[in-house]
């Protein structure tokens, strides 16, 4: 079968799929409320270099995701609807190798929270500096709030935060508006797919010290004064573990993966949360993103009316500790200066129903084909360089064998395999280069890949 026949068949299948598939609003992994029963527990996580670290994490006692009731890192992503009265019932099952069991709690920035306590002890639940605490196994602290504002939020322990957040007691809260497919109640926040980017870091010395001597370990003050993380995480996994499926059995305390996928012309909602203590510059190749909200509020000059009219475009999101950012990312191929589906160099016939090259026509004519989202000004342009022969190339696992979208090419035996659909792949990562390692081993850390799939390729 020649390339032209292969391409025509692939595009025909892609277009057939496009018209047969329902409209998609892919959602982040998590559990839905409005009532959540969580317990703070001791467990461990794996790192992609073969390491293991002790954690303290929140567990989903109701096993809503069907993944078990072990501690999670980060904690379960809590998903509720705007207007819900949300209740989180927290128990404390922390145990340590030495000393007393530490109290634990939760805080919910951006929410008006009330707390109540039931206890099997005689002293009740103590008030910490920020929040009511579950002090022992008999305590249940109930945190209640009305989810009045849609958006992306964090939650974390309000007790001994330097230690307990480092140990893993943190997670994300998503409040959805009444309109499906929007992050906020405005069309500026509409999206086709959404992904959570929960960024954290860990200093393994702290976790080793707690494993050996508990939270009273004498070394901890020195470690916090000279904080030196060696692991960096997207959604609780270091690369390349985050490329694996969500809820994979051999990462039983790290359920969430991160491989964002989209088609040309789609709007991808990036829900970015910094759950750690360091600033992380999150850099996304392929295009700028438009930041439409921070800390659960749209960037509007007239809240509730003007949409994201004071939004900003960036190519790196400078994530501040505790901050949440919502951004819209789009990819069209505009500016690449070649036909993304095959130019005259490979003679792959296809049409582009939009404004053609060099034609000064109706200014309202579309720039992009309404189905394939091809940028019609580049229609028919060949790939601008001649690729070397295969014997002269080094192949990465993400190379699909062809520079054209949706057209996989031949590869030598044993090469490739991570890009079966001929997608375009972009690295998304921390722009602090050391954070792309696992204990100084590259590649790893806070790194993932954006996958641009051809039209019609299903995205789960």
């Amino acid at each position: 079968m020649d390339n032209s026949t292969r391409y025509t068949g692939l595009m025909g299948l892609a277009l057939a799929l496009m018209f047969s598939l329902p409209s998609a609003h892919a959602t982040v992994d998590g559990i839905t409320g409005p009532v959540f029963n969580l317990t703070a527990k001791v467990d461990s996580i794996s790192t992609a270099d073969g390491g293991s670290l002790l954690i303290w994490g929140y567990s989903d006692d109701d096993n809503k995701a069907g993944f078990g009731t072990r501690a999670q890192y980060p904690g379960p992503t809590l998903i509720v609807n705007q207007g819900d009265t949300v209740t989180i019932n927290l128990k404390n099952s922390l145990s340590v190798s030495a000393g007393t069991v530490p109290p634990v709690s939760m805080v919910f920035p951006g929410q008006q929270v009330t707390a109540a306590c039931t206890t099997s002890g005689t002293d009740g639940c103590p008030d910490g500096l920020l929040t009511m605490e579950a002090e022992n196994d008999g305590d249940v602290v109930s945190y209640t709030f009305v989810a009045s504002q849609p958006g992306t939020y964090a939650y974390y322990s309000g007790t001994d935060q330097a230690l307990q957040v480092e140990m893993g007691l943190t997670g994300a809260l998503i409040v959805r508006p009444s309109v499906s497919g929007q992050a906020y109640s405005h069309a500026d926040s509409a999206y086709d797919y959404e992904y959570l980017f929960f960024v954290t870091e860990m200093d393994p010395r702290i976790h080793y010290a707690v494993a050996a001597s508990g939270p009273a370990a004498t070394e901890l003050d020195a470690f916090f004064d000279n904080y030196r993380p060696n692991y960096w995480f997207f959604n609780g996994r270091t690369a390349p573990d985050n490329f694996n499926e969500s809820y994979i059995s051999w990462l039983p305390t790290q359920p969430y993966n991160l491989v964002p996928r989209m088609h040309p012309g789609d709007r991808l909602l990036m829900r970015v949360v910094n759950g750690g203590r360091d600033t992380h510059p999150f850099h996304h190749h392929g295009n700028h993103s438009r930041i439409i909200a921070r800390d659960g509020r749209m960037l509007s000059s007239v809240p509730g009316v003007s949409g994201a009219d004071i939004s900003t475009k960036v190519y790196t999101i400078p994530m501040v500790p505790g901050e949440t950012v919502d951004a819209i990312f789009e990819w069209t191929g505009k500016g690449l200066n070649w036909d993304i589906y095959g130019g005259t160099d490979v003679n792959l016939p296809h049409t582009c129903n939009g404004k053609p090259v060099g034609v000064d026509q109706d200014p309202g004519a579309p720039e992009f084909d309404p189905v394939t989202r091809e940028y019609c000004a580049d229609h028919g342009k060949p790939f601008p360089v001649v690729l070397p022969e295969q014997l002269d190339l080094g192949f990465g696992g993400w190379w699909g064998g062809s520079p054209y979208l949706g057209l996989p090419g031949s590869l030598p035996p044993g090469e490739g395999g991570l890009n079966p659909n001929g997608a375009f792949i972009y690295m998304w990562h921390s722009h602090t280069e050391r954070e792309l390692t696992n204990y100084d081993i590259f590649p790893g850390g806070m790194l993932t890949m954006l996958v641009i799939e051809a039209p019609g390729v299903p995205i789960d």
Side-chain angles (χ1 to χ4, degrees):
M1 180 183 293
D2 61 27
N3 280 345
S4 178
T5 304
R6 230 176 5 130
Y7 176 87
T8 303
L10 178 67
M11 288 302 293
L13 174 61
L15 295 183
L17 282 169
M18 169 172 283
F19 290 115
S20 64
L21 289 173
S23 60
H25 297 293
T27 58
V28 299
D29 293 311
I31 58 176
T32 57
V35 177
F36 305 93
N37 295 302
L38 309 181
T39 297
K41 296 179 179 178
V42 177
D43 216 306
S44 63
I45 61 169
S46 299
T47 55
D49 61 339
S52 178
L53 294 172
L54 180 82
I55 64 159
W56 298 348
Y58 298 109
S59 70
D60 169 23
D61 294 347
D62 297 323
N63 192 19
K64 291 184 177 183
F67 192 58
T69 58
R70 291 178 63 172
Q72 290 185 201
Y73 181 68
T77 299
L78 311 180
I79 303 172
V80 300
N81 296 317
Q82 183 180 11
D84 282 350
T85 298
V86 181
T87 300
I88 298 97
N89 300 310
L90 175 67
K91 297 179 182 178
N92 183 1
S93 290
L94 294 180
S95 60
V96 297
S97 59
T100 59
V101 174
V104 70
S105 63
M106 299 179 77
V107 293
F108 301 88
Q111 315 302 327
Q112 297 292 321
V113 180
T114 59
C117 168
T118 60
T119 177
S120 61
T122 58
D123 298 329
C125 300
D127 287 330
L129 292 176
L130 293 176
T131 179
M132 186 174 288
E133 298 175 323
E135 190 171 32
N136 57 57
D137 264 344
D139 292 346
V140 180
V141 178
S142 297
Y143 305 97
T144 302
F145 59 88
V146 176
S148 59
Q149 297 286 337
T152 304
Y153 303 91
Y155 68 84
Y156 45 85
S157 175
T159 302
D160 193 6
Q161 290 179 314
L163 177 62
Q164 294 200 3
V165 174
E166 164 71 23
M167 291 300 294
L169 291 169
T170 182
L173 166 71
I174 294 174
V175 180
R176 298 198 182 282
S178 58
V179 181
S180 176
Q182 292 184 5
Y184 296 84
S185 299
H186 195 280
D188 287 353
S189 68
Y191 62 87
D192 297 289
Y193 301 100
E194 63 170 344
Y195 292 89
L196 176 67
F197 301 80
F198 197 92
V199 301
T200 51
E201 71 286 321
M202 282 186 179
D203 183 339
R205 301 174 303 166
I206 296 171
H207 297 254
Y208 299 151
V210 172
S213 304
T218 57
E219 312 97 311
L220 289 179
D221 285 344
F223 293 158
F224 282 117
D225 288 342
N226 182 29
Y227 188 64
R228 192 169 69 228
N230 274 302
Y231 290 109
W232 296 270
F233 302 84
F234 270 137
N235 294 353
R237 298 183 184 179
T238 61
D241 279 350
N242 52 16
F243 300 152
N244 291 290
E245 295 179 359
S246 291
Y247 304 107
I248 199 164
S249 62
W250 48 268
L251 291 171
T253 58
Q254 299 155 271
Y256 303 140
N257 75 341
L258 182 61
V259 183
R261 299 170 66 205
M262 62 186 299
H263 306 106
D266 286 343
R267 289 167 60 90
L268 188 149
L269 172 64
M270 304 164 62
R271 297 185 183 268
V272 190
V273 182
N274 188 344
R277 60 177 285 167
D278 283 352
T279 297
H280 301 288
F282 175 29
H283 181 58
H284 40 78
H285 292 261
N287 200 0
H288 288 61
S289 67
R290 180 174 292 279
I291 296 178
I292 62 168
R294 291 185 183 274
D295 297 322
R297 299 295 184 270
M298 285 198 78
L299 296 177
S300 304
S301 60
V302 183
V305 176
S306 60
D309 62 330
I310 52 175
S311 61
T312 56
K313 277 191 172 183
V314 298
Y315 59 87
T316 300
I317 300 175
M319 288 305 303
V320 176
E323 183 181 48
T324 76
V325 167
D326 293 295
I328 297 292
F329 180 90
E330 297 180 88
W331 190 95
T332 62
K334 181 177 181 178
L336 289 180
N337 203 35
W338 78 82
D339 187 326
I340 61 174
Y341 297 114
T344 56
D345 52 326
V346 291
N347 191 30
L348 302 179
H350 58 285
T351 60
C352 193
N353 296 312
K355 186 181 294 186
V357 179
V359 175
D360 185 15
Q361 58 179 20
D362 179 359
E367 288 186 296
F368 302 94
D369 186 280
V371 175
T372 67
R373 300 300 297 167
E374 178 185 352
Y375 178 55
C376 290
D378 285 344
H379 181 65
K381 289 185 180 180
F383 192 66
V385 299
V386 177
L387 292 177
E389 297 295 324
Q390 284 194 351
L391 291 177
D392 299 322
L393 290 173
F395 296 94
W398 297 92
W399 172 239
S402 165
Y404 293 111
L405 184 63
L407 182 63
S410 60
L411 289 167
E415 300 289 347
L418 299 179
N419 186 5
N421 300 319
F424 288 167
I425 311 291
Y426 294 91
M427 181 188 292
W428 282 15
H429 59 93
S430 168
H431 224 271
T432 299
E433 303 301 327
R434 185 168 177 262
E435 297 178 0
L436 304 185
T437 67
N438 298 321
Y439 225 119
D440 298 329
I441 298 173
F442 176 86
M446 200 175 291
L447 176 153
T448 188
M449 300 291 179
L450 168 72
V451 181
I452 308 293
E453 298 281 17
V457 172
I459 296 176
D460 296 329

